[in-house]
Amino acid sequence: MNRVFDRVNALSAVRFVELFGPIYEHSPWIAQRAHGHAPFAGHESMLAAMALVLEQADEAEKMALIRAHPELAQRMGVDPTLTSASAAEQASAGLDRLTPDEFSDFRALNEAYAAKFGMPFIICVRRSDKQAILNGLRTRLENTPEAEQQTALAEINKIAALRLADVLERLEHDV
């Protein structure tokens, strides 16, 4: 992996953002700012730099990032803003294969969540399944808005960690 980070650390800012900008949903500004923290020793230090950028972002930027995430379990093909990464992640949890009853449950809970918090429900679906996601929706509806924002940002960092690992693995094989 050190050869990969030799390559990563040698990237121009533009190329760095091209490769790592999609890690945070529709928010390349995180990669752009994280580039200033290079050189990176490895995956963990790069991820820590990106998490620090997010932590230091203002409230408007954080909410824009949260709201850039798609609603879970929409019918595939309905959301034109759904990135290929999000579509694959949702499919990995079976959200592209819901029964009519499951879809109805997701729709009702997503609507209640959005009405209460003004943002989409975010969970690292690659580390979950349909039932755990539904249970998470039900449980997290009890959170305060402040607690839910922090939970959403923590979940976004989990998603970013997995996406970063995917990009680094592709780079490792692109020698």
Side-chain angles (χ1 to χ4, degrees):
M1 188 67 82
N2 281 347
R3 266 182 42 211
V4 170
F5 273 91
D6 289 343
R7 290 175 58 203
V8 167
N9 290 325
L11 293 171
S12 70
V14 170
R15 184 68 180 133
F16 185 89
V17 173
E18 285 173 2
L19 287 172
F20 301 106
I23 289 171
Y24 285 86
E25 196 85 9
H26 300 291
S27 301
W29 57 269
I30 295 174
Q32 183 180 26
R33 293 179 195 171
H35 183 263
H37 294 271
F40 304 106
H43 176 269
E44 291 303 318
S45 67
M46 188 171 168
L47 190 59
M50 291 180 160
L52 179 63
V53 166
L54 178 53
E55 182 182 318
Q56 293 175 341
D58 65 35
E59 287 305 305
E61 290 171 319
K62 289 176 182 176
M63 285 308 297
L65 170 64
I66 291 169
R67 289 183 178 128
H69 283 75
E71 180 180 292
L72 294 179
Q74 281 194 355
R75 293 284 189 213
M76 295 300 178
V78 172
D79 185 354
T81 65
L82 192 67
T83 64
S84 59
S86 287
E89 290 160 356
Q90 289 195 37
S92 76
L95 299 183
D96 60 338
R97 300 176 302 279
L98 298 175
T99 67
D101 286 344
E102 289 171 332
F103 182 75
S104 179
D105 288 347
F106 268 101
R107 170 67 50 224
L109 288 166
N110 276 327
E111 287 175 4
Y113 184 93
K116 180 172 182 179
F117 298 114
M119 61 188 198
F121 176 76
I122 300 171
I123 191 168
C124 184
V125 296
R126 281 171 61 181
R127 292 185 176 167
S128 206
D129 61 26
K130 288 187 285 192
Q131 196 55 53
I133 295 166
L134 278 170
N135 291 342
L137 260 163
R138 288 183 185 103
T139 301
R140 286 173 47 192
L141 270 166
E142 302 303 317
N143 282 349
T144 65
E146 297 76 20
E148 193 52 27
Q149 180 186 12
Q150 291 307 308
T151 301
L153 292 170
E155 291 296 316
I156 287 169
N157 278 327
K158 291 177 189 176
I159 295 164
L162 294 171
R163 289 180 179 181
L164 176 59
D166 293 343
V167 173
L168 292 172
E169 186 176 325
R170 284 193 303 270
L171 282 176
E172 191 169 23
H173 292 91
D174 265 0
V175 180

